[in-house]
Amino acid sequence: MTENITRRGMLLVLSSPSGAGKSTLSRLLLEKDDNIALSVSMTTRTPRPGEIDGVDYNFVSTAEFENLVQQDGFLEHAKVFDNYYGTPAAPVVKAIQAGRDVLFDIDWQGTQQLTQKAAKDLVRVFILPPSSQELERRLKERAQDSAAVVARRMSKASEEISHWAEYDYIIVNDELEKSEQQLFSILQAERLKRVRQTGLVPFVHEIIGEE
Ligand code: 5GP
């Protein structure tokens, strides 16, 4: 019965420099829990091999992107590595009203905008790599990116990390399994917050027999 108590969904933001393990952790969380879905961002960057339009991103032209900006259709948007990225608002609003949680893989700029717009519904998690050496190693391991791209991402990483203190939770991703558990615990605890359990008032009234 208790799982039927209506609740309001949350916006769970995961940020990190690339190479800290954020994509793997997102994937694991999405596999483990049916009530959270990934917000599919729009981007003007070209797809990498294996990326699927509509699944990894909605890949659009700059003109299409700018069009949605004009229509105020983004919850947040930012320029990252010369490309535009943004979160279309409509699917997110629909999901949280229906009591489903939404996972965001966005950078610090997007997180700041969401903090302005939706602080009450927001849970911000920052993933740190265990060391700079490990971060570099993981970036180099990604065969898909050229050496120049790796070098740029490494320098961008320190900029992203400098925003760590703007987040509610910090996970140092040393062991994947432990980090996955920590992320799952955050999700579980945040779901239990009184403010998210919007159906509690009628539920409690029924328990104590009030009209
Ligand atoms: P990538 O090109 O490697 O997929 O992503 C590059 C960076 O853009 C990552 O840090 C990722 O979190 C960020 N990003 C992806 N989608 C969005 C979005 O919709 N909004 C913002 N602000 N950042 C995004």
Side-chain angles (χ1 to χ4, degrees):
M1 245 343 250
T2 47
E3 62 270 21
N4 294 333
I5 297 173
T6 9
R7 68 177 186 92
R8 187 171 166 81
M10 78 186 88
L11 312 183
L12 182 67
V13 169
L14 281 193
S15 297
S16 75
S18 35
K22 178 179 52 174
S23 316
T24 312
L25 281 169
S26 316
R27 187 177 43 75
L28 291 170
L29 189 69
L30 292 165
E31 277 169 17
K32 193 164 177 171
D33 195 288
D34 287 342
N35 212 30
I36 187 160
L38 184 69
S39 162
V40 180
S41 296
M42 235 177 225
T43 184
T44 57
R45 90 151 157 73
T46 43
R48 295 195 187 111
E51 282 184 332
I52 301 169
D53 189 26
V55 175
D56 299 289
Y57 282 105
N58 288 308
F59 295 99
V60 295
S61 65
T62 306
E64 283 173 286
F65 195 96
E66 282 168 353
N67 199 18
L68 200 60
V69 173
Q70 292 287 311
Q71 292 169 28
D72 203 18
F74 285 112
L75 211 50
E76 61 76 34
H77 60 92
K79 195 175 183 188
V80 189
F81 305 119
D82 299 332
N83 292 302
Y84 291 102
Y85 294 83
T87 305
V92 176
V93 172
K94 207 169 137 197
I96 61 166
Q97 283 173 354
R100 289 194 307 274
D101 303 311
V102 184
L103 182 67
F104 293 79
D105 173 345
I106 61 173
D107 80 332
W108 64 270
Q109 305 175 76
T111 308
Q112 284 189 350
Q113 292 172 45
L114 286 187
T115 306
Q116 297 292 320
K117 279 198 179 164
K120 229 177 62 196
D121 296 316
L122 197 62
V123 179
R124 299 163 298 188
V125 181
F126 199 90
I127 319 272
L128 283 173
S131 67
S132 66
Q133 292 88 338
E134 179 60 16
L135 179 66
E136 197 169 352
R137 196 190 63 74
R138 288 182 195 172
L139 279 178
K140 283 185 179 151
E141 223 177 56
R142 290 189 173 183
Q144 290 179 4
D145 293 328
S146 71
V149 172
V150 170
R152 256 184 86 205
R153 284 183 179 236
M154 196 63 199
S155 76
K156 262 272 183 188
S158 47
E159 186 197 338
E160 184 77 28
I161 290 176
S162 72
H163 291 274
W164 71 277
E166 295 161 24
Y167 288 72
D168 305 304
Y169 297 92
I170 311 296
I171 295 177
V172 179
N173 188 17
D174 199 354
E175 269 173 60
L176 191 62
E177 209 172 302
K178 195 173 90 194
S179 304
E180 184 195 352
Q181 262 171 26
Q182 289 172 337
L183 185 58
F184 194 60
S185 305
I186 293 167
L187 180 68
Q188 297 302 319
E190 287 287 341
R191 279 181 178 160
L192 294 177
K193 277 204 167 153
R194 176 177 46 77
V195 287
R196 296 198 211 293
Q197 300 199 65
T198 45
L200 273 183
V201 172
F203 178 74
V204 172
H205 280 178
E206 202 188 303
I207 292 176
I208 59 179
E210 279 179 6
E211 280 303 305

